[in-house]
Amino acid sequence: GIGRRVERTIRRTIHRFAAMPLEIASEFGYVVAAVGACFVPLVYGAVRVARARKAHGVKYPDLYAPPGHEKKKQFDCVQRGHQNTLENYAPVIAMGTASGLAYPRASAILLCVWAVGRVEYIRGYATGDPAKRRLGGLVSHLADVPLFFMTFFAAKKILDA
């Protein structure tokens, strides 16, 4: 019946993947280190938010300062810098890791550029003037946009191998 056919298909698929060699270049170690470096802006942002919570009296579970709070803009800018970085973290790590299979050095460099850009983004945003996040945004986009395209180039390279 259908159950047996599905089971056979699953077994054949698992067997094919088990037999498929996966060779990772030693240079992929740079990508692994860069993934670790990308955690730095997350910690930096979390510390900035924790300090801003204490300084401005914004209590958990509020993600942002409540309406009418006298330091709403100041706190919300700190929080947005961190939140935006969290929103971008997973896709950047995925793209950097995937593209790093084919282009380890370039991917590692771009991941580090992204991390530096995000620290500057958070720092600039935390001033309370959202326009001051632009330099960090530009630097991080100089990394995440190429990583986006490199992911597809890496896929092509791997598929053609």
Side-chain angles (χ1 to χ4, degrees):
I2 291 178
R4 287 184 187 254
R5 278 186 266 163
V6 169
E7 183 180 343
R8 277 196 307 266
T9 301
I10 290 171
R11 286 180 190 269
R12 273 188 261 139
T13 303
I14 290 171
H15 178 71
R16 283 186 194 140
F17 282 115
M20 185 173 62
L22 178 62
E23 220 174 283
I24 298 175
S26 63
E27 290 180 329
F28 191 76
Y30 296 128
V31 176
V32 174
V35 165
C38 287
F39 193 69
V40 171
L42 302 188
V43 173
Y44 175 70
V47 169
R48 294 293 302 247
V49 170
R51 288 182 179 162
R53 279 188 183 284
K54 186 174 182 179
H56 303 308
V58 177
K59 307 289 183 214
Y60 285 106
D62 292 336
L63 187 58
Y64 295 100
H69 191 283
E70 74 176 272
K71 297 287 188 169
K72 181 170 179 48
K73 182 178 180 186
Q74 178 64 39
F75 177 80
D76 287 0
C77 282
V78 176
Q79 175 62 17
R80 269 310 298 151
H82 183 236
Q83 186 67 35
N84 184 268
T85 299
L86 290 170
E87 292 162 3
N88 286 277
Y89 178 74
V92 167
I93 294 301
M95 291 185 302
T97 302
S99 65
L101 292 170
Y103 309 105
R105 287 184 184 209
S107 295
I109 289 167
L110 290 170
L111 285 170
C112 289
V113 169
W114 183 84
V116 169
R118 293 320 290 192
V119 167
E120 178 56 27
Y121 181 88
I122 292 166
R123 191 205 62 72
Y125 216 155
T127 64
D129 179 1
K132 292 186 178 176
R133 74 190 194 282
R134 289 189 182 137
L135 174 61
L138 174 65
V139 172
S140 61
H141 289 322
L142 288 173
D144 58 27
V145 171
L147 283 170
F148 173 76
F149 290 106
M150 284 173 56
T151 300
F152 294 102
F153 293 137
K156 173 100 171 85
K157 185 176 180 180
I158 291 166
L159 288 168
D160 289 346

